[in-house]
């Protein structure tokens, strides 16, 4: 047996010890500590009911796995019992060894299946405020009695709104945001909680706090309330197993009581109002609210087990500085982040304190909230300010719930510095495993990587958002451009797979994908006039590109299968849009190729090319009108071709060969049409902006002979632009990869190291601690655009794949070529990321005019470095100028 090999990271359906698995689980594992002799022949997976003791019981199911697949096995036995604890373990058979290497057991529990609505009811205080007004946070409660010591207790909870759960005054859910933002018109998640330690023998109190959340609270740049409904509701089911065999069950129903409490209001965007003088109303006598009657109704949504990581507080940041300015207190946390401030303060009963949040300081040294309004007053202004009223007890703790702010600075008013005991920022986001590491001798590149990671953290919250402030919308285009970087930085499989379910659920009957998913507006397409809010090229294509990215990184075809119908519907939508609509500017007899050109509908185009960013030079109303009436047909047709091409490949992967043939034909037709319409007689793009060269090169749209020429044009354009990029939203993440693919690594590094605007390091040079929406992040000395927008951070992909050389050569990393871009301007570059098999890493160092490189390769994959095949484990090599690798002595 390989002495060092260990099995780790056992996950059930991607989660660690989940408590609500309602679909056939997938068992996955990784290995660490392989040595060069390690060869994995096969694996056996044994499932049993907990408590598992391998040598005592026959497993209830045994699964098998053999390489070269990714290390995962799908349960295919008889249906598992609901609300039951299971455990499993995996044993590896290594080449040349008889004994298996067994993992430690992993545990999971099945959830309620479809039982939650049968065991509990939707309840809530009747909301009487009009849909456009805020409603108060509800405190719903009940009591239950437990006769004997508790051996196991679970709570299963969901809400239309955001909920918090307490048992006997102990908070179970803490600062989590639940349920996550899903297509609430179709489905809402429930989560299971282990409450064994909070339930006691005798009388117990359960309290569910219910706030507006994304269901009824403000959403999108328009700050629209009541997008999904006006009535808040919660559903909870508690099951307590006692040592004497008694099982106590309690579901939400009309016997529960409701009221209000110290958390008076809470809005996702606006913040909270906490009045600490108020006693909570749900369970504790005296109930201060007479409104103790509970209403019950049955919304038409399905309740599904949370299938992704919870959203909760993941870190606490202490201030870099606290100063008094004009009678207020300005706190700088030194890092732009997403979460809430936590304040411990002593003061007088009735004293009112406000905590305002912003990502930037104005010229006067106070946090500036003006920049959040980019509509010139057309949209409602929403300032993220928390309001507290003190009860007068010493050291009161204020920690907002059911809201998120994007901020680096907080400004406190109504309080003296001496009254504050402690203030910190709690970072709240999806609790993903951020496994991507990047280090370099170049401090700017390290900071760039940090900024990208912080922007990802701040926007991978309850859905993937564009920014955490102005809009916090699930813009499909943003997720699409960033996904290839996201998979390298963190384990986003479940997060994005789950989001795609909503993309598909909210696709319109004609196949158009919404620009923002989940939907966060109530205006109907018709009332939106020129802007239908769906079907935009590069945005809607997320339904093809994101599953493709996930398949490439994680190697699972399930994501392609699951989204197949939605992907086909999107490509069909594009096909019909091209064939059935002719732009009014086209006159005369239609040419044959026109039926494959998309030149109608609303399209954002390349979007935000330098010089067209918000503030300053636009995008203006004119841009918007142009996007609606004269959209960029080149962008729209290129994405149509690309999506058809990828879908044809997906069809082959899924063994749908008839579909594949049709799609291949479609792809070739669209490509021909693209060439006829947008290329000149040499086969080069007629309009040669950087983006218009990058896109056809990356989407394989140019005739073979024209490709090197187009790539050379691109290099000339970049040089002519002062070695600066001029790509926009869609192509910036592709630019460096495009240059590298065509042999221009050095220019790619030039662009990466460029410090003059527009450039990545130019952004870093502004002192930004996150990625900015625009290259400068400011205009005329004032902040403009979002200060926390991950889209331009898509460049991280090139940093891992090219600069550090971690190049996946087959889906799921079964095959890898380590091929870094060595550059004499950098002494050292190191990156590592997680493959489904385990960690892969590369670290190179410059020595005089040569390089050494240390690589980490997990067992079970095929990896090469230059001309050499790499054995599993860690090894160090010297590389010659000629690109050959030899082991370092
Ligand atoms: C958002 C973007 C989004 C775009 C659509 C912006 O306001 O912040 O990130 O994709 O609109 O072009």
């Amino acid at each position: 047996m390989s002495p060092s090999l260990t099995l780790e990271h056992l996950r059930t359906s991607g989660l660690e010890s989940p408590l609500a698995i309602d679909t056939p689980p997938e068992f996955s594992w990784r290995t660490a500590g392989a040595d060069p002799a390690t060869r994995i022949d096969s694996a056996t997976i044994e499932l049993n009911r907990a408590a598992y003791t391998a040598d005592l019981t026959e497993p209830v199911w045994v699964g098998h796995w053999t390489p070269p697949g990714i290390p995962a096995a799908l349960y295919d036995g008889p249906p598992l019992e609901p609300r039951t604890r299971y455990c499993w373990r995996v044993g590896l058979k290594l080449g040349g060894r008889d004994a298996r290497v067994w993992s430690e057991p992993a545990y999971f529990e099945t959830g309620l299946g479809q039982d939650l609505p049968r065991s509990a009811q939707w309840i809530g205080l009747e909301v009487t405020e009009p849909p456009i007004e805020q409603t108060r946070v509800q405190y719903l409660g009940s009591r239950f009695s437990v006769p004997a010591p508790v051996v196991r207790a679970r709570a299963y909870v969901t809400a239309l709104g955001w909920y918090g759960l307490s048992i006997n005054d102990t908070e179970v859910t803490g600062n989590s945001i639940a349920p996550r933002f899903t297509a609430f018109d179709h489905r809402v998640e429930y989560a299971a909680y282990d409450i064994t330690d909070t339930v006691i023998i005798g009388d117990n109190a359960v309290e569910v706090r219910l706030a507006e959340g994304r269901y009824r609270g403000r959403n999108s740049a328009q700050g629209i309330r009541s997008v999904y409904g006006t009535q808040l509701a919660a559903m909870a089911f508690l099951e307590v197993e006692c040592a004497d065999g008694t099982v106590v069950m309690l579901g939400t129903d009309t016997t529960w009581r409701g009221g209000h409490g110290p958390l008076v209001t809470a809005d996702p965007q606006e913040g909270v109002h906490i009045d600490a003088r108020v006693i909570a109303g749900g369970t504790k006598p005296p109930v201060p609210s007479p409104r103790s009657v509970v209403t019950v109704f049955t919304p038409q949504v399905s309740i599904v087990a949370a299938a992704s990581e919870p959203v909760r507080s993941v870190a606490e940041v202490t201030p870099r500085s606290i100063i008094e300015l004009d009678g207020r207190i300005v706190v700088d946390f030194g890092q732009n982040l997403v979460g809430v401030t936590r304040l411990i303060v002593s003061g007088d009963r009735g004293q009112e304190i406000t905590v305002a949040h912003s990502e930037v300081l104005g010229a006067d040294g106070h946090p500036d909230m003006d920049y959040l309004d980019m509509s010139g007053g057309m949209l409602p202004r929403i300032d993220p300010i928390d309001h507290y009223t003190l009860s007068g007890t010493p050291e009161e703790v204020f920690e907002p719930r059911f809201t998120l702010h994007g901020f680096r600075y907080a400004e406190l008013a109504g309080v003296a510095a001496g009254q504050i005991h402690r203030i910190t920022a709690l970072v709240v986001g999806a609790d993903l495993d951020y496994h991507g590491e990047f280090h370099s001798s170049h401090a700017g590149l390290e900071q760039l990587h940090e900024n990208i990671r912080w922007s990802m953290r701040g926007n991978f919250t309850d859905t993937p958002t564009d920014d955490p402030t102005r809009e916090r919308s699930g813009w499909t285009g943003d997720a699409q451009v960033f996904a290839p970087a996201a998979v390298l930085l963190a384990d986003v499989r479940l997060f994005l797979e789950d989001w795609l379910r909503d993309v598909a659920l909210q696709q319109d009957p004609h196949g158009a994908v919404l620009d923002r998913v989940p939907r966060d507006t109530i205006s109907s397409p018709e009332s939106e006039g020129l802007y239908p809010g769906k079907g935009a090229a590069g945005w809607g294509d997320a339904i093809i590109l994101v599953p493709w990215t996930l398949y490439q990184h994680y190697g699972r075809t399930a994501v392609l299968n699951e989204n197949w119908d939605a992907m086909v519907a999107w490509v069909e939508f594009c096909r019909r849009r091209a064939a059935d609509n002719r732009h009014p500017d086209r006159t005369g007899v239609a040419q044959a190729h026109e039926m494959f050109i998309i030149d109608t509908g609303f399209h954002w185009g390349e979007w935000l090319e330098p010089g067209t960013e918000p503030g300053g030079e636009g995008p203006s109303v004119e841009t918007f009108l142009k996007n609606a009436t004269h959209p960029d047909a080149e962008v729209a047709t290129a994405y149509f071709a690309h999506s058809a091409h990828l879908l044809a490949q997906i069809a082959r992967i899924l063994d749908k060969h008839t579909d594949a043939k049709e799609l291949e034909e479609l792809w070739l037709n669209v490509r021909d049409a693209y060439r006829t319409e947008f290329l000149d007689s040499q086969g080069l793009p007629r309009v040669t902006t950087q983006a218009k060269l990058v896109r056809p090169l990356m989407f394989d749209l140019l005739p073979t002979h024209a490709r090197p020429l187009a790539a050379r044009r691109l290099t000339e354009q970049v040089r002519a632009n002062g070695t600066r990029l001029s790509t926009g939203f869609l192509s910036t993440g592709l630019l460096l990869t495009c240059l590298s693919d065509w042999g221009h690594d050095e220019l790619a590094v030039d662009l990466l190291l460029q410090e003059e605007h527009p450039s990545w390091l130019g952004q870093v040079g502004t002192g930004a601690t996150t990625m900015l929406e625009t290259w400068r992040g400011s205009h005329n000395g004032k902040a403009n655009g979002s200060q926390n927008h991950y889209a331009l951070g898509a460049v991280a992909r090139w940093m891992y794949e090219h600069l550090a050389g971690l190049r996946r050569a087959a889906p799921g990393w079964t095959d890898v070529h380590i091929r870094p871009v060595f550059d004499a301007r950098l002494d050292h570059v190191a990156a590592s990321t997680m493959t489904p098999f385990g960690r892969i890493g590369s670290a190179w160092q410059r020595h005089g005019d040569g390089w050494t490189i240390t690589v980490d390769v997990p067992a079970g994959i095929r990896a090469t470095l230059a001309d050499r095949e790499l054995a599993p484990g860690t090894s160090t090599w010297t590389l010659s100028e000629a690109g050959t690798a030899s082991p370092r002595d």
Side-chain angles (χ1 to χ4, degrees):
M1 188 185 74
S2 165
S4 51
L5 186 90
T6 51
L7 276 151
E8 55 176 41
H9 202 82
L10 270 64
R11 293 290 181 269
T12 308
S13 299
L15 295 166
E16 185 175 6
S17 312
L19 298 180
I21 293 293
D22 285 342
T23 50
E26 184 214 62
F27 305 114
S28 61
W29 60 91
R30 293 182 196 147
T31 61
D35 68 26
T38 308
R39 203 187 73 233
I40 302 170
D41 283 346
S42 64
T44 299
I45 303 98
E46 291 184 354
L47 174 78
N48 219 323
R49 280 171 169 265
Y52 181 76
T53 39
D55 46 357
L56 286 184
T57 349
E58 275 294 299
V60 295
W61 176 81
V62 178
H64 300 284
W65 171 89
T66 46
I70 53 154
L74 194 64
Y75 175 76
D76 61 1
L80 299 174
E81 304 271 327
R83 308 206 302 278
T84 304
R85 190 167 174 80
Y86 289 92
C87 71
W88 62 276
R89 62 175 193 162
V90 55
L92 292 187
K93 174 90 181 60
L94 299 179
R97 313 275 167 183
D98 289 334
R100 284 181 186 280
V101 183
W102 283 102
S103 71
E104 292 293 313
Y107 295 85
F108 73 95
E109 289 180 22
T110 46
L112 287 167
Q114 293 308 305
D115 277 350
L116 184 52
R118 285 198 278 271
S119 323
Q121 294 171 306
W122 286 111
I123 62 165
L125 293 175
E126 192 184 348
V127 172
T128 50
E129 292 88 352
I132 52 162
E133 276 176 28
Q134 195 167 23
T135 184
R136 295 179 70 179
V137 175
Q138 303 185 5
Y139 286 65
L140 309 170
S142 186
R143 310 192 82 92
F144 60 97
S145 182
V146 171
V150 177
V151 289
R152 174 179 181 266
R154 298 286 181 266
Y156 305 91
V157 194
T158 186
L160 303 174
W162 279 343
Y163 67 80
L165 172 74
S166 293
I167 307 283
N168 299 324
D169 282 336
T170 302
E171 278 203 54
V172 177
T173 45
N175 217 327
S176 65
I177 294 287
R180 294 179 326 113
F181 193 12
T182 52
F184 292 138
D185 44 354
H186 293 270
R187 64 187 197 125
V188 61
E189 286 182 344
Y190 81 88
Y193 301 93
D194 183 351
I195 53 169
T196 311
D197 294 340
T198 43
V199 175
I200 52 172
I201 305 180
D203 188 34
N204 288 268
V206 51
E207 179 182 85
V208 175
R209 292 171 300 282
L210 182 56
E212 298 192 294
R214 298 277 215 164
Y215 188 81
R216 196 195 187 281
R218 283 191 189 272
N219 266 310
S220 84
Q222 289 121 311
I224 297 179
R225 293 190 204 276
S226 304
V227 169
Y228 286 94
T230 54
Q231 176 64 54
L232 301 180
M235 187 184 269
F237 176 69
L238 275 61
E239 186 181 56
V240 181
E241 291 172 24
C242 303
D244 66 355
T246 321
V247 179
V248 178
M249 292 192 242
L250 178 82
T252 41
D253 62 17
T254 47
T255 66
W256 283 51
R257 288 291 168 260
H260 300 292
L263 181 55
V264 183
T265 55
D267 179 85
Q269 299 185 343
E270 278 174 295
V272 299
H273 180 191
I274 301 175
D275 186 343
R277 296 168 303 180
V278 178
I279 299 164
T283 54
K284 299 178 204 79
V287 177
S289 166
R291 296 172 62 206
S292 54
V293 180
V294 185
T295 60
V296 182
F297 73 118
T298 349
Q300 297 300 311
V301 287
S302 52
I303 301 166
V304 297
S308 171
E309 294 80 356
V311 181
R312 59 188 171 203
S313 175
V314 292
E316 188 163 8
V317 175
T318 50
R320 172 183 288 182
S321 71
I322 302 180
I323 57 161
E324 288 194 71
L325 191 67
D326 308 323
R328 279 171 274 167
I329 295 159
V330 178
V331 183
D332 175 5
F333 290 102
Q335 173 63 52
N336 194 21
L337 55 86
V338 174
V340 291
T341 43
R342 183 174 190 273
L343 175 68
I344 306 180
V345 66
S346 295
D348 300 330
R349 187 173 176 80
Q351 183 179 338
E352 298 201 346
I353 301 175
T354 58
V355 185
H357 301 81
S358 179
E359 301 179 295
V360 290
L361 290 182
D364 58 2
H366 291 284
D368 167 28
M369 290 183 286
D370 294 342
Y371 78 100
L372 292 175
D373 174 20
M374 291 201 352
S375 70
M378 273 155 59
L379 297 175
R381 182 177 161 137
I382 303 161
D383 289 341
I385 303 177
D386 295 321
H387 299 259
Y388 304 139
T389 308
L390 272 50
S391 72
T393 53
E395 305 212 3
E396 293 180 64
V397 180
F398 289 94
E399 192 183 303
R401 294 282 192 264
F402 313 127
T403 193
L404 286 179
H405 304 306
F407 64 101
R408 170 174 169 169
Y409 303 95
E411 181 167 77
L412 285 73
V415 63
Q419 294 182 294
I420 299 173
H421 300 285
R422 186 173 158 84
I423 181 160
T424 53
L426 299 179
V427 181
V428 178
D431 197 356
L432 305 174
D433 184 6
Y434 278 82
H435 51 223
E437 296 281 340
F438 178 90
H439 297 287
S440 171
S441 47
H442 192 297
L445 293 185
E446 288 217 352
Q447 186 63 46
L448 173 63
H449 183 261
E450 271 306 287
N451 292 4
I452 297 169
R453 195 155 47 170
W454 272 104
S455 278
M456 180 172 170
R457 214 187 268 286
N459 284 294
F460 275 55
T461 49
D462 63 339
T463 199
T465 59
D466 57 336
D467 65 51
T469 47
R470 186 187 73 224
E471 306 197 14
R472 52 180 88 178
S473 294
W475 284 98
T476 47
D478 303 45
Q480 180 270 105
V481 299
F482 189 67
V487 293
L488 297 164
L489 291 162
D491 185 351
V492 295
R493 182 167 71 86
L494 305 178
F495 184 88
L496 288 177
E497 276 178 4
D498 206 53
W499 176 72
L500 285 167
R501 293 185 182 114
D502 298 314
V503 178
L505 282 170
Q506 293 189 329
Q507 191 172 23
D508 90 352
H510 308 289
V513 168
L514 298 191
D515 285 9
R516 308 193 299 265
V517 177
R519 179 171 63 82
D520 57 9
T521 172
I522 41 175
S523 8
S524 65
E526 294 71 37
S527 69
E528 297 257 0
L530 287 172
Y531 175 56
K534 59 187 177 185
W539 272 254
D541 295 279
I543 191 60
I544 309 268
L545 292 164
V546 176
W548 183 249
T549 298
L550 297 179
Y551 164 67
Q552 292 295 332
H553 188 87
Y554 300 105
R556 288 159 168 88
T557 51
V559 69
L560 303 179
N561 256 317
E562 192 179 346
N563 290 289
W564 171 256
D565 290 345
M567 295 192 279
V568 169
W570 169 251
V571 169
E572 263 303 291
F573 167 76
C574 295
R575 194 185 60 74
R576 280 195 310 273
R577 176 152 63 181
D580 299 350
N581 301 288
R582 191 173 190 223
H583 196 276
D585 284 359
R586 290 183 193 265
T587 51
V589 181
Q591 297 174 54
H593 79 278
E594 282 181 29
M595 68 179 293
F596 298 107
I597 298 290
I598 297 183
D599 54 4
T600 58
F602 184 99
H603 301 283
W604 296 101
E606 172 64 17
W607 192 243
L608 295 191
E609 283 167 294
T612 67
E613 295 117 324
E617 295 139 62
S620 53
V621 175
E622 288 76 48
T623 316
F624 200 79
L625 280 176
K626 188 182 158 291
N627 289 343
T629 57
H630 290 81
D632 189 331
E634 184 275 320
V635 176
T637 308
Y639 273 90
F640 174 28
H642 189 45
S643 276
H645 190 196
L646 291 180
L647 194 56
Q649 295 172 56
I650 291 167
R652 291 263 174 236
I653 293 162
L654 300 180
D655 285 331
K656 297 175 189 287
H657 297 293
T658 316
D659 293 311
K661 274 191 80 146
E662 277 173 28
L663 287 159
E664 278 151 13
E665 202 180 308
L666 177 64
W667 137 245
L668 293 175
N669 282 330
V670 185
R671 185 168 77 168
D672 284 348
Y674 182 94
R675 290 177 179 175
T676 308
E677 185 81 10
F678 305 109
L679 305 186
D680 64 17
S681 54
Q682 292 184 79
L684 290 173
R686 290 210 180 96
V687 183
T688 49
T689 61
Q690 291 181 22
K692 292 210 180 287
L693 288 159
V694 169
R695 192 171 12 257
L697 276 166
M698 292 304 282
F699 293 177
D700 194 11
L701 290 166
L702 302 180
T704 317
H705 72 270
R707 292 173 196 170
L709 200 59
R712 208 165 330 124
R713 281 266 160 93
L714 176 62
T715 64
E716 286 159 13
Q717 297 248 335
V718 172
R719 291 281 181 229
N721 195 38
T723 314
R724 286 176 309 169
L725 55 80
S726 70
T727 43
F729 203 84
L730 291 178
S731 303
T732 293
L734 304 173
L735 175 61
L736 300 194
T737 305
C738 182
L739 288 170
S740 282
D741 283 357
W742 292 98
H744 303 290
D745 283 335
E746 198 182 327
L747 184 56
V749 180
D750 289 347
L751 283 174
L752 187 68
L753 297 183
Q754 175 62 269
E755 292 180 6
E756 274 175 34
H757 295 293
S759 66
W760 292 281
L761 291 187
Q763 271 203 354
V764 170
T766 65
T769 57
T770 38
M771 297 305 294
L772 313 175
E773 181 177 15
T774 66
W775 288 107
R776 288 170 197 268
S778 64
H779 184 69
N780 289 340
K782 285 196 71 120
N784 92 308
S786 146
Q787 306 289 304
N788 197 351
H789 226 81
Y790 55 55
L792 297 177
V795 70
R797 175 187 183 180
W798 189 86
M799 293 161 73
Y800 280 76
E801 292 183 351
H802 290 266
L803 199 53
L806 301 173
R807 300 204 209 168
R808 190 188 52 228
W813 295 82
T814 51
D815 199 352
V816 182
H817 301 320
I818 297 183
R819 209 185 306 143
V821 171
F822 298 109
D823 191 287
R825 287 165 286 182
L826 301 170
D827 291 335
H828 167 64
V829 167
S832 72
T833 187
M834 203 56 82
T835 75
F837 296 84
R839 185 168 286 280
I840 188 152
S842 131
W844 59 259
Q845 194 100 36
R846 187 159 63 90
H847 291 295
D849 45 7
W851 285 273
T852 57
I853 179 166
T854 299
V855 292
D856 270 307
V857 176
I861 70 168
R862 189 184 161 269
T864 58
L865 169 72
D867 53 341
R868 310 289 288 247
E869 187 125 351
L870 295 168
T874 306
S875 56
T876 299
W877 303 80
T878 306
L879 277 120
S880 76
E881 281 284 348
T884 51
S886 30
R888 202 180 64 170
D889 310 328

